[in-house]
PDB file of all heavy atoms in Angstrom:
ATOM      1  N   MET A 564     111.897 112.437  95.125  1.00 97.00           N
ATOM      2  CA  MET A 564     112.081 113.826  94.722  1.00 97.00           C
ATOM      3  C   MET A 564     110.749 114.576  94.765  1.00 97.00           C
ATOM      4  O   MET A 564     110.640 115.616  95.392  1.00 97.00           O
ATOM      5  CB  MET A 564     112.672 113.870  93.317  1.00 97.00           C
ATOM      6  CG  MET A 564     113.053 115.248  92.863  1.00 97.00           C
ATOM      7  SD  MET A 564     113.649 115.205  91.174  1.00 97.00           S
ATOM      8  CE  MET A 564     112.127 114.886  90.292  1.00 97.00           C
ATOM      9  N   CYS A 565     109.732 114.006  94.124  1.00 96.00           N
ATOM     10  CA  CYS A 565     108.474 114.769  94.065  1.00 96.00           C
ATOM     11  C   CYS A 565     107.456 114.270  95.097  1.00 96.00           C
ATOM     12  O   CYS A 565     106.371 114.826  95.209  1.00 96.00           O
ATOM     13  CB  CYS A 565     107.890 114.743  92.662  1.00 96.00           C
ATOM     14  SG  CYS A 565     107.306 113.147  92.159  1.00 96.00           S
ATOM     15  N   GLY A 566     107.826 113.244  95.840  1.00 96.00           N
ATOM     16  CA  GLY A 566     106.965 112.821  96.945  1.00 96.00           C
ATOM     17  C   GLY A 566     105.758 111.996  96.528  1.00 96.00           C
ATOM     18  O   GLY A 566     104.815 111.849  97.310  1.00 96.00           O
ATOM     19  N   ALA A 567     105.761 111.455  95.334  1.00 96.00           N
ATOM     20  CA  ALA A 567     104.642 110.589  94.922  1.00 96.00           C
ATOM     21  C   ALA A 567     104.887 109.170  95.443  1.00 96.00           C
ATOM     22  O   ALA A 567     106.034 108.746  95.515  1.00 96.00           O
ATOM     23  CB  ALA A 567     104.546 110.564  93.404  1.00 96.00           C
ATOM     24  N   PRO A 568     103.882 108.419  95.817  1.00 96.00           N
ATOM     25  CA  PRO A 568     102.473 108.819  95.840  1.00 96.00           C
ATOM     26  C   PRO A 568     102.178 109.666  97.080  1.00 96.00           C
ATOM     27  O   PRO A 568     102.895 109.575  98.075  1.00 96.00           O
ATOM     28  CB  PRO A 568     101.745 107.473  95.923  1.00 96.00           C
ATOM     29  CG  PRO A 568     102.692 106.577  96.663  1.00 96.00           C
ATOM     30  CD  PRO A 568     104.070 107.022  96.281  1.00 96.00           C
ATOM     31  N   SER A 569     101.131 110.476  96.999  1.00 96.00           N
ATOM     32  CA  SER A 569     100.812 111.342  98.137  1.00 96.00           C
ATOM     33  C   SER A 569      99.292 111.446  98.276  1.00 96.00           C
ATOM     34  O   SER A 569      98.563 111.212  97.318  1.00 96.00           O
ATOM     35  CB  SER A 569     101.410 112.729  97.898  1.00 96.00           C
ATOM     36  OG  SER A 569     100.961 113.216  96.658  1.00 96.00           O
ATOM     37  N   PRO A 570      98.819 111.784  99.475  1.00 95.00           N
ATOM     38  CA  PRO A 570      97.374 111.961  99.646  1.00 95.00           C
ATOM     39  C   PRO A 570      96.896 113.122  98.780  1.00 95.00           C
ATOM     40  O   PRO A 570      97.694 113.988  98.417  1.00 95.00           O
ATOM     41  CB  PRO A 570      97.232 112.321 101.128  1.00 95.00           C
ATOM     42  CG  PRO A 570      98.541 112.009 101.760  1.00 95.00           C
ATOM     43  CD  PRO A 570      99.581 112.054 100.699  1.00 95.00           C
ATOM     44  N   VAL A 571      95.617 113.132  98.446  1.00 95.00           N
ATOM     45  CA  VAL A 571      95.098 114.242  97.634  1.00 95.00           C
ATOM     46  C   VAL A 571      93.998 114.939  98.444  1.00 95.00           C
ATOM     47  O   VAL A 571      93.415 114.340  99.352  1.00 95.00           O
ATOM     48  CB  VAL A 571      94.535 113.757  96.277  1.00 95.00           C
ATOM     49  CG1 VAL A 571      95.627 113.146  95.436  1.00 95.00           C
ATOM     50  CG2 VAL A 571      93.397 112.765  96.468  1.00 95.00           C
ATOM     51  N   PRO A 572      93.725 116.210  98.115  1.00 95.00           N
ATOM     52  CA  PRO A 572      92.692 116.933  98.866  1.00 95.00           C
ATOM     53  C   PRO A 572      91.341 116.229  98.786  1.00 95.00           C
ATOM     54  O   PRO A 572      91.009 115.613  97.767  1.00 95.00           O
ATOM     55  CB  PRO A 572      92.620 118.294  98.167  1.00 95.00           C
ATOM     56  CG  PRO A 572      93.896 118.418  97.405  1.00 95.00           C
ATOM     57  CD  PRO A 572      94.340 117.038  97.077  1.00 95.00           C
ATOM     58  N   ALA A 573      90.566 116.353  99.874  1.00 93.00           N
ATOM     59  CA  ALA A 573      89.265 115.685  99.957  1.00 93.00           C
ATOM     60  C   ALA A 573      88.372 116.062  98.776  1.00 93.00           C
ATOM     61  O   ALA A 573      87.623 115.241  98.246  1.00 93.00           O
ATOM     62  CB  ALA A 573      88.592 116.057 101.274  1.00 93.00           C
ATOM     63  N   ARG A 574      88.494 117.330  98.338  1.00 95.00           N
ATOM     64  CA  ARG A 574      87.653 117.795  97.228  1.00 95.00           C
ATOM     65  C   ARG A 574      87.886 116.938  95.962  1.00 95.00           C
ATOM     66  O   ARG A 574      86.943 116.545  95.277  1.00 95.00           O
ATOM     67  CB  ARG A 574      87.980 119.267  96.940  1.00 95.00           C
ATOM     68  CG  ARG A 574      87.197 119.877  95.784  1.00 95.00           C
ATOM     69  CD  ARG A 574      87.641 121.305  95.523  1.00 95.00           C
ATOM     70  NE  ARG A 574      89.098 121.449  95.418  1.00 95.00           N
ATOM     71  CZ  ARG A 574      89.815 121.121  94.343  1.00 95.00           C
ATOM     72  NH1 ARG A 574      89.242 120.635  93.280  1.00 95.00           N
ATOM     73  NH2 ARG A 574      91.126 121.290  94.340  1.00 95.00           N
TER      74      ARG A 574
END
Side-chain angles (χ1 to χ4, degrees):
M564 187 183 71
C565 68
S569 54
V571 296
R574 179 183 49 78

